[in-house]
Amino acid sequence: MINFLNNKINNLNIEINKEKKMKFIRFYQLLIEWNERMNLTGITDFEEVVEKHFVDSLSIVKVTDLKKISNLIDIGTGAGFPGIPIKIMFPHVKVTLLDSLNKRIQFLNTVIEELGLHEIETLHGRAEDFAKKKEYREQYDLCVSRAVANLSTLSEYCIPFVREGGAFISYKAGDSKKEIEESRKAIKILGGKIQSIHEFQLPETEINRTLVTILKEHPTAKKYPRKAGIPTKEPIK
């Protein structure tokens, strides 16, 4: 178990110590325990969780230097991906986990307490609402999301949280070229621009992934994000 985890994370050129390994294993145990009474993930095999959740979350190191990031927000974090793996490996980063389902927030709070994580908070609610609050709007070096949503829609949820000069990084499936191209206008309207599109395979798998890095160049107009539901029904075009 530990050797498999160690090897997979080392493939990302990240060094992991014993304390962090034990936190990942406890995280996995809690994920499986809670998954029996609520739907957190369809992936339960340890090796698959390591590859498809832990390593996938940490693959962000391919496109950004997390040592230079002071705070981040994870939108639609679900079972804590990518936010908690990032927090375990880079404990200096102040992390905010936002999700709309209270049961998942309860799970995340348990994980945070059991793993002894500090400077990490959970928010229960919708991105559309929190992005309007001055204590969260344009306050983050980095916004991340593995949420399954159209990139135009996701950008409207996420870019308002990012300070000028910061970035929003979206985790996408391998074949996302059309979706990315169709999002460019929305991203520009929201104050961003696509800085890079990094396509790769998860180490030692055939799983194709894409990391889209969006640089925040200008403040986001106050009317964005629009009211709940509208960004999904009517993406900016």
Side-chain angles (χ1 to χ4, degrees):
M1 218 179 204
I2 290 180
N3 286 341
F4 182 84
L5 174 67
N6 185 74
N7 292 339
K8 286 292 179 178
I9 291 180
N10 282 344
N11 281 335
L12 292 171
N13 294 318
I14 309 174
E15 289 187 8
I16 180 169
N17 61 29
K18 185 178 179 181
E19 181 186 358
K20 292 175 181 178
K21 289 173 195 172
M22 297 314 296
K23 286 182 178 179
F24 274 114
I25 289 171
R26 184 59 184 141
F27 184 18
Y28 169 74
Q29 291 170 341
L30 289 166
L31 182 69
I32 300 307
E33 287 171 21
W34 280 68
N35 204 53
E36 291 177 0
R37 49 187 199 266
M38 60 183 286
N39 183 27
L40 289 168
T41 178
I43 301 165
T44 55
D45 174 76
F46 176 75
E47 293 188 0
E48 282 197 274
V49 169
V50 169
E51 289 177 341
K52 297 177 181 178
H53 285 323
F54 297 168
V55 173
D56 186 46
S57 294
L58 294 171
S59 64
I60 193 173
V61 300
K62 293 176 176 287
V63 296
T64 193
D65 184 355
L66 287 166
K67 292 176 183 176
K68 296 179 180 178
I69 300 296
S70 65
N71 66 346
L72 70 79
I73 185 166
D74 179 2
I75 302 297
T77 187
F81 304 114
I84 287 181
I86 290 172
K87 180 64 182 178
I88 292 171
M89 289 303 302
F90 299 92
H92 74 278
V93 180
K94 295 178 182 178
V95 172
T96 301
L97 305 173
L98 186 149
D99 200 87
S100 61
L101 190 63
N102 193 45
K103 285 184 178 179
R104 287 197 287 256
I105 294 296
Q106 291 172 16
F107 164 71
L108 295 171
N109 286 336
T110 299
V111 171
I112 289 165
E113 184 177 352
E114 289 259 348
L115 271 56
L117 302 177
H118 302 287
E119 294 192 305
I120 178 169
E121 67 171 337
T122 57
L123 299 178
H124 172 227
R126 303 180 71 100
E128 301 97 318
D129 298 325
F130 278 98
K132 296 286 187 182
K133 298 182 179 184
K134 63 180 181 180
E135 62 264 45
Y136 299 106
R137 188 177 183 87
E138 298 187 331
Q139 295 299 311
Y140 293 90
D141 293 342
L142 182 63
C143 178
V144 293
S145 185
R146 288 174 88 219
V148 180
N150 179 280
L151 187 57
S152 295
T153 300
L154 204 54
S155 293
E156 186 170 350
Y157 292 145
C158 293
I159 291 175
F161 288 98
V162 181
R163 64 168 178 79
E164 285 183 73
F168 160 44
I169 298 179
S170 176
Y171 292 66
K172 285 288 173 186
D175 187 15
S176 303
K177 289 185 178 68
K178 183 181 178 186
E179 177 187 344
I180 293 167
E181 287 306 310
E182 290 175 349
S183 72
R184 286 184 183 273
K185 185 175 181 182
I187 289 167
K188 185 176 181 180
I189 288 170
L190 292 161
K193 79 165 183 180
I194 295 177
Q195 186 178 48
S196 68
I197 302 167
H198 183 74
E199 298 177 350
F200 65 100
Q201 284 188 328
L202 290 179
E204 298 177 356
T205 76
E206 295 181 0
I207 301 168
N208 295 311
R209 299 293 276 146
T210 301
L211 291 169
V212 185
T213 302
I214 296 166
L215 181 68
K216 180 76 169 277
E217 291 190 306
H218 309 289
T220 303
K222 290 183 179 179
K223 67 178 179 177
Y224 298 114
R226 292 166 292 169
K227 290 182 180 179
I230 295 176
T232 301
K233 293 175 185 175
E234 303 172 19
I236 300 168
K237 293 183 180 177

